[in-house]
Amino acid sequence: MSTEYVPIRVSTLRGDQKIDFDAYVKINEKYILYIKSGDSFEGERLQRLKSKKLKKMFIAPDSEQRYRTYMQKNIEMAYDKGSGKDITTRAEIIQGNQQSNAEAVMEDPGNAQAYQETKDAAGKFVQFLEQEDKSLSSILNIVNADQNIAHHGVTVSSLAVALAKKLKVQDPKQLQLLSLGALLHDFEHFQSGVAINRPIEQMTEAEVKLYKQHPQLGAQKVQDKKHFDATVIKIIAEHEEYVDGKGYPYGLVESKMDPLSVIVAPCNMVDRLITFEGVPRKDAVKRLMITAVGRYPLNYIQALGDIMSAL
Ligand SMILES: [Fe+2]
Ligand SMILES: [Fe+2]
């Protein structure tokens, strides 16, 4: 067998369709068989796979076509309401696909094709959230156990679309850009690998200073990429701003922010509390009400409360 193994994203292994290829992990320059053809990854099996915190695995070059077919079948089935598969499994596949798209852009922001595919998928994702009752709860029920930045992006993206819907944002183009910007908002964390999984109050002064630059540093890295939409760059730059002007890095007031950033900011904070600070999901919005008064428009926080309590 050739040693030219091909990397695959673990986030694409989802759902009850059995894989028809073997997947390997690389340890000390050796490829070790890790999961076998015939396995599938739904429900508890998915949680087990996620708990391994592996982002990439490898397949033999002669499996590549079978892997591609597997992925394509999975995503087509997941977006097909009439496929006969339950919404939980379909949502797991769609969540994984969104996460994989986010990873592709964040790993290689210069890749215009990856960006375009992710942008198209963001539009599809909006439709899925809009058209199916249990879509949002099924997506948000997938616990981000490995505190993955791309998974956090999918969660914030889902919340942002739900919040926009409550605020009567209807333009599909705007919703697509909102979904895409929210998906990619923490671009810088993905690149820098800073340990963000703790409250900001627990960071040292130097860490806080660096942390507070992440929206700006992230935006700067994609500023020169012609395929990046200006609105997406704005969302990356402004997602930690507060409407009272006391956020960071720029201290913009609401009227100076892109309206889509105003939507993403509280959604980001809700999932930051849940995923990185260990706040129970049912308490996250309550926490925001108490500690973040004035940082986000009150009616946005209330709408998020309604969204979360309906899950
Ligand atoms: Fe952030
Ligand atoms: Fe974030």
Side-chain angles (χ1 to χ4, degrees):
M1 195 191 284
S2 158
T3 49
E4 295 287 306
Y5 284 73
V6 181
I8 62 165
R9 287 177 215 290
V10 174
S11 50
T12 58
L13 302 177
R14 299 283 165 96
D16 58 359
Q17 185 193 172
K18 290 183 176 21
I19 57 169
D20 53 357
F21 48 85
D22 292 334
Y24 300 77
V25 288
K26 196 175 176 182
I27 298 170
N28 298 331
E29 298 307 306
K30 278 195 182 134
Y31 294 95
I32 314 284
L33 180 61
Y34 198 68
I35 48 175
K36 281 197 196 115
S37 170
D39 273 341
S40 64
F41 309 94
E42 73 280 14
E44 241 175 72
R45 288 170 169 205
L46 170 60
Q47 283 312 323
R48 229 178 300 142
L49 182 67
K50 254 184 104 50
S51 70
K52 304 257 179 2
K53 299 189 181 211
L54 270 175
K55 282 186 187 162
K56 294 249 172 91
M57 279 193 242
F58 297 84
I59 55 173
D62 59 3
S63 305
E64 205 177 345
Q65 194 48 50
R66 285 197 300 267
Y67 169 68
R68 294 204 179 286
T69 309
Y70 162 84
M71 242 186 358
Q72 210 173 341
K73 253 201 220 164
N74 243 2
I75 195 68
E76 271 170 26
M77 186 269 287
Y79 273 121
D80 177 9
K81 216 175 175 174
S83 66
K85 298 279 180 192
D86 60 90
I87 185 76
T88 307
T89 305
R90 290 169 55 216
E92 284 174 355
I93 296 169
I94 290 170
Q95 190 281 333
N97 184 255
Q98 285 301 91
Q99 183 176 324
S100 156
N101 287 331
E103 286 167 353
V105 175
M106 295 202 271
E107 266 169 25
D108 186 8
N111 184 337
Q113 192 193 335
Y115 182 86
Q116 190 55 50
E117 281 171 12
T118 301
K119 186 174 172 177
D120 293 342
K124 246 181 154 178
F125 185 59
V126 170
Q127 284 177 9
F128 171 67
L129 290 175
E130 278 182 330
Q131 290 167 3
E132 295 196 48
D133 283 350
K134 290 264 172 278
S135 54
L136 182 71
S137 56
S138 306
I139 293 280
L140 295 184
N141 280 339
I142 304 165
V143 177
N144 189 354
D146 50 345
Q147 299 181 317
N148 179 294
I149 290 291
H151 187 156
H152 166 60
V154 183
T155 304
V156 175
S157 173
S158 312
L159 286 172
V161 172
L163 176 56
K165 219 172 134 187
K166 288 246 181 221
L167 298 169
K168 308 267 182 267
V169 179
Q170 268 149 2
D171 177 27
K173 194 90 224 139
Q174 289 290 100
L175 288 168
Q176 182 184 20
L177 290 172
L178 172 72
S179 159
L180 183 59
L183 183 68
L184 302 173
H185 76 275
D186 269 336
F187 179 80
E188 176 65 16
H189 289 324
F190 189 87
Q191 300 251 330
S192 73
V194 172
I196 61 158
N197 55 344
R198 58 211 161 124
I200 295 165
E201 297 75 45
Q202 288 175 15
M203 295 180 184
T204 66
E205 214 174 299
E207 284 171 332
V208 172
K209 206 174 158 215
L210 188 67
Y211 178 81
K212 291 197 165 179
Q213 288 174 343
H214 80 267
Q216 188 176 13
L217 294 175
Q220 273 167 8
K221 283 184 185 144
V222 294
Q223 207 92 52
D224 63 331
K225 312 278 181 273
K226 294 211 167 52
H227 51 274
F228 259 78
D229 294 276
T231 305
V232 169
I233 300 175
K234 271 201 174 164
I235 292 172
I236 294 173
E238 299 175 352
H239 73 269
E240 305 275 6
E241 298 288 340
Y242 305 150
V243 294
D244 61 6
K246 292 180 185 152
Y248 52 89
Y250 306 105
L252 302 176
V253 291
E254 183 176 358
S255 61
K256 299 281 181 208
M257 291 170 72
D258 189 289
L260 298 182
S261 306
V262 182
I263 294 176
V264 173
C267 299
N268 172 50
M269 195 47 78
V270 165
D271 191 52
R272 174 164 178 64
L273 291 172
I274 297 169
T275 295
F276 301 114
E277 299 190 20
V279 174
R281 189 164 89 174
K282 62 171 181 31
D283 299 335
V285 175
K286 229 183 291 164
R287 181 74 77 88
L288 218 58
M289 285 276 192
I290 298 164
T291 59
V293 170
R295 294 180 178 179
Y296 313 108
L298 186 59
N299 60 323
Y300 286 34
I301 302 183
Q302 283 161 342
L304 269 173
D306 293 343
I307 291 165
M308 300 299 283
S309 55
L311 291 177

